[in-house]
């Protein structure tokens, strides 16, 4: 996703600002986020394309002309959580596939009924590297699975809270 570490603090700053303030015009986003207009517009458009933020049109008059319309940016947190969950599931599937590839490589290395003791020193070194890579993949899978559970629990909690407020 676009808000990751490579993109720097600016998109995260804009995203947090929209989360806190709910609906903001572009000019307000530039001013409050302290990001230059050109950069802020670029970031807003990139986040919009990735569906991290959305735009609401608010007409000033009944004719709905663009000149007489406010365009407000906002974050739909449920949609962002769903998007994040989908991305995490794709990453989890990729990690599981890579782990299976490493496991098969280890099996191929030993052959049918082979033992680790039968390997030469260079083969043993390569086999141990494959096993270490498999262990790292296992750790990454477990961490991602735990994070995915937290995101899904938070989304479910948010939905229950919203439902409770609708029923009041």
């Amino acid at each position: 996703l676009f808000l990751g570490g490579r993109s720097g603090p600016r998109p995260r700053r804009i995203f947090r600002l929209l989360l806190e303030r709910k609906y903001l015009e572009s000019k307000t986003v530039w001013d409050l986020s302290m990001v230059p207009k050109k950069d802020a517009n670029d970031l807003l458009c990139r986040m919009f394309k990735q569906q991290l933020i959305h735009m609401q049109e608010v007409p000033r008059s009944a004719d709905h002309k663009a000149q007489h319309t406010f365009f407000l940016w906002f974050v739909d947190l449920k949609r962002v959580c769903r998007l994040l969950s989908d991305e995490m599931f794709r990453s989890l599937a990729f990690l599981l596939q890579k782990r299976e590839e490493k496991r098969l490589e280890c099996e191929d290395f030993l052959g049918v009924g082979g033992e680790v003791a039968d390997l030469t020193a260079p083969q043993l070194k390569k086999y141990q590297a494959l096993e270490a890579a498999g262990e790292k993949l296992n750790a990454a899978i477990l961490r991602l699975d735990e994070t995915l559970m937290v995101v899904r629990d938070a989304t479910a909690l948010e939905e229950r809270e919203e439902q409770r407020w609708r029923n009041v």
Side-chain angles (χ1 to χ4, degrees), residues 1-4 15 50-52 76-92 144 147-148 150-152 154-155:
L1 289 172
F2 177 65
L3 294 174
F15 187 82
Q50 289 191 332
Q51 299 178 351
L52 295 171
D76 181 354
L77 196 54
K78 278 196 290 188
R79 199 179 298 176
V80 171
C81 286
R82 209 172 309 121
L83 188 67
L84 181 62
S85 293
D86 291 346
E87 187 68 30
M88 291 170 77
F89 275 121
R90 276 192 288 280
S91 297
L92 188 60
L144 186 57
T147 305
L148 187 55
V150 169
V151 169
R152 292 187 72 193
T155 305

Side-chain angles (χ1 to χ4, degrees), residues 105-145:
E105 278 186 62
C106 283
E107 283 181 8
D108 289 345
F109 228 88
L110 293 177
V112 178
E115 293 289 326
V116 176
D118 298 338
L119 298 175
T120 63
Q123 290 174 329
L124 181 62
K125 192 172 186 178
K126 185 162 181 155
Y127 177 78
Q128 288 171 339
L130 286 171
E131 277 193 328
E135 289 301 317
K136 287 180 183 177
L137 286 168
N138 279 334
I141 288 167
L142 291 173
R143 279 194 309 270
L144 186 57
D145 186 49

Side-chain angles (χ1 to χ4, degrees), residues 48-60:
F48 182 72
K49 282 181 183 177
Q50 289 191 332
Q51 299 178 351
L52 295 171
I53 63 174
H54 303 281
M55 186 185 294
Q56 176 73 45
E57 295 181 30
V58 181
R60 293 184 200 171

Side-chain angles (χ1 to χ4, degrees), residues 6-141:
R6 291 183 299 243
S7 53
R10 288 177 169 180
R12 289 189 301 273
R13 188 182 318 150
I14 291 172
F15 187 82
R16 277 195 310 267
L17 181 66
L18 289 170
L19 266 177
E20 290 171 7
R21 301 285 178 101
K22 306 295 181 209
Y23 293 90
L24 292 176
E25 286 185 274
S26 294
K27 183 182 182 332
T28 311
V29 171
W30 313 325
D31 292 341
L32 294 177
S33 67
M34 296 181 285
V35 175
K37 177 182 176 180
K38 183 179 182 283
D39 295 343
N41 280 339
D42 181 50
L43 293 171
L44 286 168
C45 289
R46 287 168 59 188
M47 287 190 282
F48 182 72
K49 282 181 183 177
Q50 289 191 332
Q51 299 178 351
L52 295 171
I53 63 174
H54 303 281
M55 186 185 294
Q56 176 73 45
E57 295 181 30
V58 181
R60 293 184 200 171
S61 60
D63 60 5
H64 290 278
K65 288 185 180 176
Q67 300 143 339
H68 302 288
T69 303
F70 288 106
F71 294 97
L72 302 174
W73 296 101
F74 70 98
V75 174
D76 181 354
L77 196 54
K78 278 196 290 188
R79 199 179 298 176
V80 171
C81 286
R82 209 172 309 121
L83 188 67
L84 181 62
S85 293
D86 291 346
E87 187 68 30
M88 291 170 77
F89 275 121
R90 276 192 288 280
S91 297
L92 188 60
F94 176 77
L95 287 172
L96 289 169
Q97 180 182 359
K98 285 294 178 189
R99 182 182 69 179
E100 183 63 17
E101 289 173 9
K102 293 295 180 195
R103 188 187 66 76
L104 290 174
E105 278 186 62
C106 283
E107 283 181 8
D108 289 345
F109 228 88
L110 293 177
V112 178
E115 293 289 326
V116 176
D118 298 338
L119 298 175
T120 63
Q123 290 174 329
L124 181 62
K125 192 172 186 178
K126 185 162 181 155
Y127 177 78
Q128 288 171 339
L130 286 171
E131 277 193 328
E135 289 301 317
K136 287 180 183 177
L137 286 168
N138 279 334
I141 288 167

